[in-house]
Amino acid sequence: MTPKDVFWSWDFLAALGSSLLLAFLVPAGISVSFAKDLFGVGISVLSIVFSVFFAALAIIISASDNDFVVFLEEEGHYTAIIQTFKVSLLALFVALIYSLVLYAFTAAAASAFVQGQHWLWFCVFVFLFLYGLFSAFNSALDAIRYAQTRASYLSVRTKSDRQV
């Protein structure tokens, strides 16, 4: 997976497009209390998705037998699946860290009685949040295709073992 593949993927472009659209719709200053609540929700959602996603990746990697991995790798599919998961995991991690930092910054601003926050912080949050979720969804679809391919592979392998 090249950087070009990442930047021209539907998940990246959808997150970018949503963020750019939002940049034109939001006011110049975002309410600190609104931003703090939204960043808190983002942290909760991303924490759950990140942990479940990480567990799913571990299961996929450990559940594969060597023959199936070799079968997939003949066309480069196994590496592509793992790369997709790697990019998605990185996107979720960056979004989660950004949300945590932004939440702390916003909480500090709220305690100092600051009323507004620049719209750019909010739009970057939306981009990272959406890209993390969209890429996790994309990887989940890859995992489903992986499971379907594995089922087909096992079916063919079982039939061939019976004939021998």
Side-chain angles (χ1 to χ4, degrees):
M1 176 174 280
T2 65
K4 181 182 174 185
D5 295 331
V6 172
F7 295 128
W8 287 108
S9 63
W10 74 265
D11 46 1
F12 185 87
L13 293 174
L16 184 63
S18 299
S19 300
L20 290 174
L21 178 65
L22 190 64
F24 290 106
L25 298 176
V26 298
I30 304 292
S31 163
V32 170
S33 62
F34 170 73
K36 183 180 167 197
D37 290 345
L38 192 62
F39 301 150
V41 169
I43 290 168
S44 298
V45 170
L46 290 168
S47 296
I48 292 168
V49 172
F50 181 79
S51 60
V52 169
F53 188 82
F54 190 74
L57 176 60
I59 289 169
I60 285 178
I61 290 173
S62 65
S64 299
D65 64 358
N66 292 340
D67 293 337
F68 183 63
V69 170
V70 168
F71 169 74
L72 282 178
E73 194 54 35
E74 288 175 359
E75 300 287 325
H77 296 303
Y78 187 78
T79 299
I81 290 169
I82 297 302
Q83 285 293 89
T84 301
F85 269 86
K86 181 180 172 182
V87 169
S88 298
L89 192 64
L90 181 64
L92 286 168
F93 180 73
V94 168
L96 182 57
I97 295 300
Y98 182 79
S99 299
L100 288 166
V101 168
L102 209 52
Y103 183 84
F105 174 76
T106 304
S111 68
F113 302 106
V114 174
Q115 297 299 313
Q117 189 174 66
H118 196 275
W119 62 271
L120 187 58
W121 298 109
F122 178 71
C123 289
V124 171
F125 164 78
V126 168
F127 167 73
L128 292 173
F129 179 80
L130 289 177
Y131 181 59
L133 291 182
F134 291 162
S135 66
F137 175 76
N138 206 23
S139 291
L141 292 177
D142 284 344
I144 291 168
R145 282 191 292 272
Y146 175 87
Q148 290 170 331
T149 304
R150 186 158 194 251
S152 298
Y153 173 80
L154 291 174
S155 175
V156 168
R157 188 171 146 188
T158 304
K159 287 178 185 175
S160 69
D161 287 348
R162 286 184 192 155
Q163 291 176 354
V164 172

